[in-house]
Amino acid sequence: MKKTLITALILFSFPATGLLANTINITGTVVSDNQKYIGARYMGYVKEVFVNIGDRVKREDDLFKMDSAEFDILKEQANLALEQAEILTDVYRSKLDEIRRNKALLSRNKNSTFNFEDMNENLSITAEHTSSMLKAMKAIVKSASQKAKEVSIISHYLEIKAPSNGIIVQKNLHVGDMVMPGFPVMVLVDLDHPEIEAQVSESDLLKINKGDFVKFTIPSIRYYGRGRIKSIVPSANPMTHTFTIRIKFKKDSEKIYPGMYAKIEIEYDPTVYEQNFASSD
């Protein structure tokens, strides 16, 4: 009896922090920290779809392909223009080389019966004109080459690929549908970096802080874990007077998916809470 009384007096005189801790119990939902909305850069019709809802994909996997008939025509036209410009460039280059050879030949035959001055002047004028045309054709070749590259890049964008690893959770397109630029047609969720999102009452804000450790459970898979408050969103819901918190944790189970229900326990020291409450007054 004496030992029990002494132990009780010691615990009362020197309280442990864990004995004073109180708990806030809330519920939350597992969410993905990396959710991507996938669309197309150009308007067109869907030619092929390679994935369905629930499919796991890896980065650079094909998702869908758009009809490229119009872009194939543009690509063919751009390549044809480039080819014609290169041919004309070769023609003017050959002509300029021929003029230079004729001038060299004329220089070696100054004492011939031909009017050397007049012929040399004519060849110089022709050479200058041909040189200008060659320079212009080189500029046209450069422009046509750039255009061909742009069309080739556009054609590449018609094959939509996965930007990261994940799972397809939403798909709003089928073969034959028209896709408009700027409108998402698929949603890809990254399963490797989940978080828990929950709502905290406004009256409990003084009891928690960013960086606090929490315990949580996911009852459906009997998962018990420990996380840390990543952020407290400073915008209260005017109807419910609650704040959103995000809890970051390390995923060590393949069974954790976005949308799962979670129970959260946040421990706090009531003495610290009272100090915060007093300082806020």
Side-chain angles (χ1 to χ4, degrees), residues 246-272:
R246 278 286 190 111
I247 299 170
K248 188 176 182 178
F249 66 96
K250 183 179 180 181
K251 178 184 176 181
D252 52 13
S253 172
E254 294 297 326
K255 296 294 184 180
I256 299 177
Y257 295 100
M260 283 184 163
Y261 171 79
K263 293 181 178 179
I264 306 161
E265 293 183 3
I266 306 175
E267 292 186 351
Y268 70 95
D269 190 336
T271 58
V272 176

Side-chain angles (χ1 to χ4, degrees), residues 219-233:
S220 59
I221 58 174
R222 298 179 182 178
Y223 180 86
Y224 298 86
R226 181 177 171 86
R228 201 167 189 174
I229 297 178
K230 173 185 174 181
S231 61
I232 302 174
V233 182

Side-chain angles (χ1 to χ4, degrees), residues 27 42 101 130 137 242:
T27 60
Y42 298 92
R101 286 196 300 269
T130 305
M137 290 311 303
T242 58

Side-chain angles (χ1 to χ4, degrees), residues 45-50 62-68 155 158-160 173:
Y45 290 96
V46 178
K47 185 177 182 180
E48 294 180 84
V49 181
F50 304 105
D62 292 329
L63 299 181
F64 64 95
K65 186 177 181 179
M66 297 172 61
D67 191 359
S68 61
S155 299
L158 298 178
E159 299 177 359
I160 312 302
L173 83 165

